[in-house]
Amino acid sequence: MLLTEIDHVAIAVKDLEAAIEYYAKAFGATVDHREVVESDGVEEALLKVAESYVQLLTPTREDSPVAKAIEKRGEGLHHIGYRVDDCQVALDSMLAAGATAIDKAPRPGSRGTTVAFIHPKGSFGTLIELVQENPGADH
Ligand code: CO
């Protein structure tokens, strides 16, 4: 089994502050990590839940894929991040199983991780992110 944990459930929102406040009020959740990922055109707030995260995700520019997703489908579930020991091994395994890669090779993600995205087409309608944590990284 290549998956070691649900790394995060990503929720696309228009107003990051409002979403953080809502999760704080509703659950007493606090922001564990916050980061702008300029290459992806997103800002994220990670709320820790046991060993996993809820990732609140908002676009930082109009041509961001997350902006397009919100435009198309509205706010809500955007992707699921599966934690793996080795992103390349998991990516190769998914491709061998017939998955369609968005990222042809693992690349840097937020909080010092290594990630690869898999297209929902061919993965039963779910945008999948493979997340490898790197020891010694920031978080
Ligand atoms: Co993610």
Side-chain angles (χ1 to χ4, degrees):
M1 171 59 164
L2 295 179
L3 309 181
T4 62
E5 188 76 65
I6 305 294
D7 187 80
H8 61 275
V9 173
I11 300 168
V13 302
K14 292 177 184 169
D15 184 338
L16 189 58
E17 304 310 323
I20 290 168
E21 199 182 313
Y22 172 76
Y23 272 78
K25 271 190 189 154
F27 303 117
T30 55
V31 175
D32 191 71
H33 180 79
R34 199 164 166 158
E35 187 169 338
V36 174
V37 183
E38 208 38 72
S39 52
D40 290 340
V42 297
E43 180 171 5
E44 69 170 33
L46 294 177
L47 315 173
K48 206 160 198 275
V49 182
E51 297 307 314
S52 305
Y53 298 96
V54 172
Q55 180 189 59
L56 302 173
L57 204 54
T58 201
T60 55
R61 54 173 195 263
E62 270 175 31
D63 65 342
S64 151
V66 173
K68 286 176 184 162
I70 290 174
E71 199 176 296
K72 251 192 187 167
R73 299 187 297 274
E75 296 178 297
L77 281 179
H78 183 262
H79 66 270
I80 183 155
Y82 293 131
R83 197 173 300 155
V84 296
D85 286 332
D86 187 319
C87 193
Q88 182 70 65
V89 167
L91 178 60
D92 290 346
S93 180
M94 287 198 73
L95 295 178
T100 304
I102 293 174
D103 295 308
K104 303 293 178 208
R107 62 177 177 87
S110 71
R111 68 187 172 92
T113 58
T114 301
V115 304
F117 277 90
I118 309 297
H119 202 281
K121 193 182 64 172
S123 295
F124 297 88
T126 304
L127 176 58
I128 292 173
E129 180 182 10
L130 301 168
V131 183
Q132 173 190 330
E133 291 189 315
N134 294 310
D138 219 18
H139 223 273

